[in-house]
Amino acid sequence: MTQLPFSRDPGKRMILRRSSEDARQYTYRVIKNCILELFLTPGQKMNEIDLASYLNVSRTPVHETFSRLSRENLIDIIPRKGAFVSKIDTGRIEHAIWLHKQLGVSMIHTIFIKNVKKQDLETLYYSLCQLDDTMYQGNLNQAPRLLNNYYHQLYVLAGDMDLVWDALQKNDLDLQRLLHLATSSSTVIEGFLCELNDLTDALANRDNDKACLIYNNHMSRMLLLVPPLKRHNPDFFAGSPTAAFALE
């Protein structure tokens, strides 16, 4: 049976349907988020009937979501075997980090050229304070969301870069899953906090070259997380087939 972090049991958390969502939108949002947040783990077999029952929808939006997530490389549909959560692909992570570096430099240059004021950078410091509080409260599962908020705020400060941010979000889905694995360690979060505080200080001091260097080093550091995470979670990464995939 497909396991999700909610059910109709009132004692468990339920991801509520928004008033603006139809069944297709709701199903897509919930299943995609559960994959990105590793509630549905890489290699796990998916079951349309279970998911439709959990979400209280028909099988049609679930089936359509499987097809859509397959195009986004989050689900593998194997003929005569079924649908499985895609494993984390190191190549896609490397591509995402390359994109972040290339576009991030342009974003930082734009912040410099726009002469963004120190008081406007308070949104960045606030995000980092939230991340710090979350870490010391032991609520590490919130760290990826707060990190993503920080990166997004950088592009907001640059202005007129919504399309760039949207493109990054579509290309870093495996990187997002990697961060959910990595931020289960407070040590990793502490390192990120130190780097991003230094980055924000460099922006506040209008040191463009230093800000670009820190940002690039921060992104490169994410690649260094891959080998130890692969050793601890070998079945989560592409190239390590699970028993379910091996079945004929």
Side-chain angles (χ1 to χ4, degrees), residues 1-4 40 44-48 50-51 54:
M1 178 179 288
T2 303
Q3 296 297 316
L4 283 174
L40 291 170
Q44 180 176 344
K45 188 170 184 178
M46 310 283 277
N47 185 290
E48 287 186 9
D50 289 345
L51 288 165
Y54 273 125

Side-chain angles (χ1 to χ4, degrees), residues 7 21 37 48 95 112 121 131 142 159 172 193 201 231 243:
S7 74
E21 290 178 319
E37 296 176 15
E48 287 186 9
H95 177 67
F112 180 78
L121 299 175
L131 182 59
Q142 294 298 315
D172 71 356
L193 268 171
D201 289 343
R231 286 196 297 272

Side-chain angles (χ1 to χ4, degrees), residues 39 130-146 180 183-186 189:
F39 289 117
Q130 285 185 304
L131 182 59
D132 193 36
D133 289 344
T134 294
M135 181 181 64
Y136 284 105
Q137 291 168 8
N139 194 14
L140 302 185
N141 62 320
Q142 294 298 315
R145 177 183 62 82
L146 294 172
H180 272 277
T183 53
S184 61
S185 164
S186 59
I189 300 174

Side-chain angles (χ1 to χ4, degrees), residues 94-106:
E94 291 173 350
H95 177 67
I97 290 174
W98 181 84
L99 277 177
H100 273 280
K101 286 183 174 182
Q102 301 304 309
L103 298 175
V105 168
S106 296

Side-chain angles (χ1 to χ4, degrees), residues 105-164:
V105 168
S106 296
M107 171 266 294
I108 290 172
H109 284 327
T110 303
I111 290 175
F112 180 78
I113 292 169
K114 282 170 60 83
N115 194 23
V116 172
K117 305 303 181 185
K118 284 188 177 182
Q119 58 265 29
D120 295 327
L121 299 175
E122 287 302 317
T123 57
L124 298 178
Y125 285 117
Y126 179 69
S127 291
L128 296 177
C129 284
Q130 285 185 304
L131 182 59
D132 193 36
D133 289 344
T134 294
M135 181 181 64
Y136 284 105
Q137 291 168 8
N139 194 14
L140 302 185
N141 62 320
Q142 294 298 315
R145 177 183 62 82
L146 294 172
L147 283 167
N148 202 53
N149 284 347
Y150 177 92
Y151 303 138
H152 187 199
Q153 283 302 315
L154 286 172
Y155 283 87
V156 170
L157 289 170
D160 299 324
M161 297 191 77
D162 289 343
L163 291 177
V164 173

Side-chain angles (χ1 to χ4, degrees), residues 56-73:
N56 196 26
V57 298
S58 70
R59 289 182 63 180
T60 299
V62 177
H63 183 78
E64 291 176 351
T65 290
F66 281 10
S67 297
R68 185 174 176 183
L69 293 177
S70 175
R71 294 192 294 272
E72 296 179 12
N73 296 314

